[in-house]
Amino acid sequence: MAGMAEGRGELDMTKPQLQDKVIWITGALGMLGRSAVRMFLDRGATVVATDKREDASETRRLLALYGDARFACFRSDACDEGDVVRAARDIERRFGRLDGIYHNAYVNVWKPALELSLAEWEDSVRGTLTSAFLVCKHGLPLMIRSGGGSVVNTSSVLGQVVSPGCLAYGAAKAGLNQFTRVLAADYAADGIRANVLVPGDFRSEEALARQSEAERQAMRRHARLGRSGRADEVNEAAAFLLSDASSYVTGALIPVDGGFHQ
């Protein structure tokens, strides 16, 4: 990965730079989140990582590399307003500002309507869409006080194309797209930019190595680049949207999908 080698090298100035920016990453223990935490730290950001789970060993490793002046990790459920309020207050208390939000939390339930319970529907919508509302509702005031910043919400091609059984998740991701576009319109005058990443199929390096031939053939049919993506390829786009290099980009849906088509 380009950037600072284990937190001690020189910044790679060919990449979107995030130095002097405080960035809040939700869903930080998921595949995208873990990759983003390391990438953004290597690009000079101060990173606040939140997730409803905990990984003490990863937290200790990153604190040893970057120190608590540049990295913090809180257990915080993005679906719980009390947790989100506490996380936002902790960010302000510890770092005094917030320049970017990278929202990755979601809940996916894969069932057609007649097999989907109300609880499963509500879990998916709350985990995917309501969580974005809560994080933005309580994070944006600090961003505005900090002089503005960038919100990046992670959606999915399944919020735009039809996949049988993807009712709750697809509807929630489609709602997230419109939520972000309206957010961009409402707060542009406050210096807030808001954009949506729309990934296709992406996997970790390890998962790509384990991908079956049938899965590879499916991706050759559905992605013009003929393969699944990597988490770091999605996060490169996120780093651009969170950096000053994207200062004239807002209200956009940015596909990172290898040319996905049905």
Side-chain angles (χ1 to χ4, degrees), residues 2-195:
M4 290 192 293
E6 288 298 296
R8 290 185 286 269
E10 294 298 320
L11 287 172
D12 180 352
M13 298 308 293
T14 67
K15 300 293 186 180
Q17 292 306 304
L18 301 169
Q19 61 265 37
D20 302 321
K21 294 190 182 298
V22 177
I23 298 175
W24 182 2
I25 301 176
T26 68
L29 293 180
M31 189 196 316
L32 274 186
R34 285 179 185 271
S35 170
V37 168
R38 294 188 291 269
M39 178 185 287
F40 296 174
L41 284 166
D42 281 348
R43 306 244 174 123
T46 294
V47 171
V48 179
T50 63
D51 199 290
K52 63 183 179 182
R53 301 168 293 163
E54 292 182 295
D55 186 338
S57 62
E58 177 75 352
T59 298
R60 285 195 299 270
R61 188 182 77 81
L62 291 172
L63 282 171
L65 288 169
Y66 299 97
D68 60 8
R70 289 199 48 222
F71 175 69
C73 185
F74 309 137
R75 196 210 68 78
S76 178
D77 185 346
C79 301
D80 184 308
E81 186 166 21
D83 275 9
V84 174
V85 168
R86 284 187 288 274
R89 287 175 178 169
D90 282 344
I91 292 168
E92 184 165 26
R93 176 179 57 83
R94 292 186 61 166
F95 302 109
R97 63 181 297 110
L98 182 63
D99 304 288
I101 292 172
Y102 186 24
H103 181 63
N104 287 295
Y106 71 95
V107 172
N108 187 1
V109 180
W110 201 279
K111 291 182 180 180
L114 299 186
E115 298 173 21
L116 191 69
S117 71
L118 177 60
E120 288 170 328
W121 167 269
E122 290 178 340
D123 281 349
S124 189
V125 173
R126 184 171 182 81
T128 304
L129 182 55
T130 306
S131 63
F133 164 70
L134 291 173
V135 169
C136 291
K137 177 178 176 61
H138 297 291
L140 256 62
L142 178 53
M143 290 177 68
I144 292 168
R145 291 196 295 274
S146 302
S150 174
V151 175
V152 179
N153 288 323
T154 303
S155 184
S156 168
V157 293
L158 296 175
Q160 297 178 302
V161 303
V162 174
S163 183
C166 187
L167 182 68
Y169 181 73
K173 288 296 192 183
L176 182 63
N177 295 345
Q178 187 69 354
F179 167 85
T180 308
R181 286 155 57 95
V182 175
L183 196 77
D186 284 344
Y187 295 100
D190 296 298
I192 300 296
R193 296 184 297 107
N195 294 287

Side-chain angles (χ1 to χ4, degrees), residues 190-213:
D190 296 298
I192 300 296
R193 296 184 297 107
N195 294 287
V196 186
L197 281 185
V198 187
D201 185 70
F202 66 90
R203 305 179 185 225
S204 66
E205 295 281 6
E206 296 79 9
L208 285 170
R210 295 193 303 269
Q211 201 171 28
S212 70
E213 183 55 32

